């Protein structure tokens, strides 16, 4: 596939101008449209994976900035989309699921390693408070971390935040949609 700057005998066509794209071999626009048409379902699946990977962190930001409470984004968006992704992986798997699983595992492990240092600064050195149980109270919509906030917060942190970042990293490092 070559993409010439512009052949002298071919008129300049801008896809945004409303003109039809040229049906010339080597046209970047035609190649992109053909690729999208041939891989539409896989591209949608990759989009779902990347969206789902970003949502746990975005839910925290939305809560902190007062846009949407975290228990609503978790219950109405993150958990249902996670179930959709799991069901698709079980009943209509594609090659990307292996990469996603690796990303979740490695992202969770990386977060555990990071927390080995972070929790030392929280509990041994008392440099700051542990914010993860508070995040769990946002998830469960309770007032005190004793109501399961710590468990919910850490599950969200490791699998949602850490696993999500791991998914994005492994998807970007894979560089393809096989």
């Amino acid at each position: 596939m070559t993409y010439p700057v512009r052949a002298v005998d071919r008129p300049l066509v801008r896809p945004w101008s409303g003109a039809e794209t040229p049906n010339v071999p080597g046209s970047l626009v035609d190649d992109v449209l053909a690729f999208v048409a041939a891989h539409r379902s896989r591209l949608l699946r990759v989009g779902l994976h990347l969206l789902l990977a970003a949502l746990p962190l975005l839910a925290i930001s939305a809560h902190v900035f007062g846009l949407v409470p975290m228990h609503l984004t978790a219950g109405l968006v993150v958990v249902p989309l996670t179930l959709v992704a799991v069901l698709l992986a079980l009943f209509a798997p594609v090659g990307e699921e292996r990469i996603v699983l690796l990303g979740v595992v490695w992202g969770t492990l990386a977060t555990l390693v990071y927390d080995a240092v972070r929790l030392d600064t929280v509990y041994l050195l008392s440099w700051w408070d542990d914010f993860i149980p508070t995040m769990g109270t946002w998830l469960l919509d309770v007032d005190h971390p004793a109501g399961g906030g710590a468990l919910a917060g850490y599950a969200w942190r490791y699998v949602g935040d850490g696993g999500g970042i791991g998914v994005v990293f492994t998807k970007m490092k894979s560089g393809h949609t096989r």
Side-chain angles (χ1 to χ4, degrees):
M1 237 182 274
T2 60
Y3 300 105
V5 176
R6 183 173 166 233
V8 177
D9 57 339
R10 194 170 91 198
L12 176 63
V13 176
R14 292 181 177 91
W16 60 86
S17 70
E20 290 186 46
T21 59
N23 192 9
V24 177
S27 166
L28 178 60
V29 173
D30 287 341
D31 290 344
V32 168
L33 292 174
F35 179 83
V36 169
H39 300 283
R40 185 180 322 265
S41 64
R42 290 194 122 161
L43 291 172
L44 289 171
R45 186 77 64 98
V46 168
L48 173 65
H49 293 151
L50 294 177
L51 175 66
L52 193 53
L55 282 174
L57 288 171
L58 291 174
I60 296 168
S61 299
H63 181 91
V64 168
F65 291 116
L67 300 173
V68 182
M70 197 164 162
H71 69 278
L72 289 179
T73 55
L76 297 175
V77 181
V78 178
V79 172
L81 276 180
T82 301
L83 292 174
V84 166
V86 167
L87 290 173
L88 283 171
L90 290 174
F91 297 108
V94 295
E96 285 79 26
E97 266 82 30
R98 188 176 138 280
I99 295 170
V100 169
L101 182 60
L102 282 173
V104 170
V105 168
W106 284 110
T108 301
L109 289 174
T111 306
L112 283 166
V113 171
Y114 169 75
D115 266 3
V117 175
R118 185 186 69 82
L119 291 175
D120 285 348
T121 65
V122 170
Y123 292 107
L124 297 178
L125 300 174
S126 300
W127 287 356
W128 55 13
D129 291 330
D130 190 5
F131 57 89
I132 304 300
T134 301
M135 187 176 62
T137 64
W138 301 341
L139 267 170
L140 300 175
D141 197 24
V142 296
D143 293 329
H144 195 272
L151 182 62
Y154 274 98
W156 189 268
R157 174 173 176 72
Y158 291 122
V159 179
D161 297 345
I165 290 170
V167 167
V168 172
F169 181 79
T170 55
K171 290 288 258 189
M172 295 301 114
K173 289 301 282 183
S174 69
H176 55 80
T177 54
R178 264 190 238 180

